[in-house]
Amino acid sequence: MDYAEFADSRLAALSRYAVMLTGDPHLAQDLVQETMVRVQLNWRRVSKADSPDRYVRRMLTNQYFDWRRGSWLRRVLLRAEPDEGIAATVDHAEATADRDQIWAWLSRLPRRQRAALVLRFYEDLPDAEIAEILGCAVGTVRASISRALATLRAQLVEV
């Protein structure tokens, strides 16, 4: 498989994963684009990996962590409340309100916990693969997920 075939087959899934990490489709597109540029530049190494998809997902996750650590955090923040200057579309559907509340709760989690939750419940990956992607031990993944779920439960009780 060459880079073009890989990109064609995995771009949509990587974009969905990035949206779940960032909470912003535009930021997710930037994140995927930056990651895919790095993938193309390092394609020889990526293609030799046991699982190129897992390797690229880890690259994307690391890129997300790096963006959140640096000056990018000062330019783009996930916010629990929308800016008053931005006109929000009015949607009275209960499902939309629930989704917005979940985004708000997820936005407050530390990035490693949020990534672990997305990989577990959205990407449906086992602990071992999550640990490989996040570059940590399986026990750390389980602890991160447990802490994140406890935080989300506490926020649910507050509502």
Side-chain angles (χ1 to χ4, degrees):
M1 174 184 307
D2 66 358
Y3 171 78
E5 291 170 345
F6 177 82
D8 286 342
S9 68
R10 297 303 301 152
L11 198 56
L14 290 170
S15 295
R16 287 190 304 270
Y17 173 58
V19 168
M20 294 302 295
L21 283 178
T22 63
D24 178 357
H26 302 292
L27 179 58
Q29 287 175 354
D30 292 344
L31 180 61
V32 170
Q33 180 178 357
E34 181 69 28
T35 302
M36 293 307 287
V37 166
R38 291 175 184 216
V39 168
Q40 186 177 25
L41 293 173
N42 297 302
W43 180 245
R44 214 173 307 175
R45 184 178 330 143
V46 172
S47 64
K48 290 179 184 176
D50 292 336
S51 173
D53 181 46
R54 192 177 316 146
Y55 191 98
V56 172
R57 199 176 302 155
R58 182 171 184 177
M59 289 175 71
L60 190 139
T61 303
N62 288 339
Q63 186 69 26
Y64 166 69
F65 289 159
D66 290 345
W67 276 12
R68 293 292 307 253
R69 283 185 194 125
S71 63
W72 187 257
L73 179 61
R74 288 189 294 275
R75 290 184 275 148
V76 178
L77 292 174
L78 291 173
R79 298 183 180 160
E81 301 294 326
D83 284 341
E84 292 179 22
I86 300 173
T89 58
V90 178
D91 186 357
H92 300 287
E94 187 174 326
T96 302
D98 290 345
R99 185 194 68 220
D100 291 344
Q101 184 62 56
I102 291 170
W103 277 117
W105 290 337
L106 285 173
S107 71
R108 295 182 200 137
L109 291 175
R111 58 186 168 263
R112 187 166 294 277
Q113 289 180 10
R114 182 175 180 169
L117 281 181
V118 169
L119 289 167
R120 164 66 64 76
F121 296 108
Y122 186 74
E123 294 289 324
D124 198 29
L125 295 179
D127 292 341
E129 286 187 41
I130 296 170
E132 187 176 328
I133 290 169
L134 296 179
C136 63
V138 173
T140 304
V141 169
R142 291 181 182 148
S144 294
I145 291 171
S146 177
R147 286 185 189 114
L149 291 175
T151 301
L152 292 176
R153 280 187 208 104
Q155 291 175 359
L156 181 62
V157 170
E158 291 175 6
V159 174

